[in-house]
Amino acid sequence: MSASLWAPSGQRPDRAAGEAVPNAAGPAHVPGERTSQDAVQRAVDFYTFLGRAPVVLHKEIPGFVGNRLQYVVAREATCLVQQGVVGPEDIDKVLTNSLGIRWATVGLFLGQHLGGGPGGYRHIVTGIGKSMHKTVTAGEPSPDPEREEQVIQAVEKAYGSSPSTELGELRDRRQLALLTALRPVSEQEGHTSEEREAT
């Protein structure tokens, strides 16, 4: 529920805000219509102190940001499995060995900006993007129970009917290893930026 809907019933609506705190390091802070800038900054400072990378949304929207992006990717992945293009394990291989690594290091838009060569993101949009728009359309997963069951069984065949403790621990170790590996690079970039500003 958005902070703007429930905040008026409280005594301090200027302190009310929505929070999405995923397992990874990027919590989303969603101020309500009456949330003060001081409250927003306090939340940002708090998560930054904890070693997180908070993002402040400019407007309230259902599902926050990370969930909405994940939902779109999951829909396309589900459609590909339903169509028999690829299985769940191969989808995960593509994400963990290609897109996931790229997004974890530079994100989506910077990745596209770099991928556009000298023309940057503009080249992606006006060149490759236009041709992709003509040839590729987003998939629409079938809501038919039999088609849904097809994907469920494919995932369970790949990973088991119930997620194991071992798989959960593997996920956590890999996420921690990635964050640990990136942290020194991020800190070094921060020092470099400060040095540039000083000069």
Side-chain angles (χ1 to χ4, degrees):
M1 180 183 293
S2 76
S4 294
L5 293 178
W6 58 262
S9 62
Q11 295 181 345
R12 294 297 303 271
D14 58 312
R15 293 184 178 180
E19 304 285 343
V21 187
N23 292 331
H29 183 75
V30 192
E33 295 175 354
R34 300 172 64 182
T35 307
S36 69
Q37 185 57 43
D38 178 66
V40 172
Q41 191 58 54
R42 281 171 173 263
V44 170
D45 292 344
F46 171 73
Y47 286 117
T48 302
F49 173 77
L50 294 179
R52 297 295 193 91
V55 172
V56 179
L57 274 62
H58 301 300
K59 60 189 299 184
E60 294 174 290
I61 187 171
F64 300 97
V65 175
N67 289 340
R68 294 174 70 94
L69 294 173
Q70 180 175 254
Y71 176 67
V72 172
V73 173
R75 281 174 59 86
E76 183 63 28
T78 299
C79 189
L80 292 173
V81 174
Q82 285 185 343
Q83 293 177 351
V85 176
V86 71
E89 287 181 295
D90 288 328
I91 289 282
D92 288 345
K93 285 180 182 179
V94 171
L95 290 174
T96 56
N97 292 284
S98 176
L99 294 178
I101 294 176
R102 186 185 310 162
W103 290 344
T105 53
V106 296
L108 173 64
F109 283 109
L110 177 53
Q112 290 188 317
H113 192 48
L114 294 169
Y121 183 67
R122 181 178 297 279
H123 175 65
I124 291 290
V125 174
T126 60
I128 300 174
K130 286 192 178 297
S131 62
M132 288 287 288
H133 183 70
K134 295 177 181 178
T135 58
V136 180
T137 56
E140 183 70 29
S142 171
D144 180 75
E146 291 186 4
R147 302 298 300 279
E148 290 181 340
E149 183 64 25
Q150 169 195 348
V151 180
I152 292 172
Q153 289 186 11
V155 172
E156 291 180 344
K157 180 180 179 181
Y159 300 117
S161 59
S162 180
S164 66
T165 302
E166 290 77 11
L167 285 176
E169 292 176 347
L170 176 63
R171 174 204 59 199
D172 295 343
R173 288 198 304 271
R174 286 180 173 178
Q175 287 184 349
L176 181 59
L178 182 59
L179 292 172
T180 301
L182 289 175
R183 186 171 295 119
V185 178
S186 300
E187 292 175 351
Q188 184 178 2
E189 290 173 345
H191 292 316
T192 303
S193 299
E194 293 173 1
E195 292 171 359
R196 282 200 299 266
E197 292 176 0
T199 58

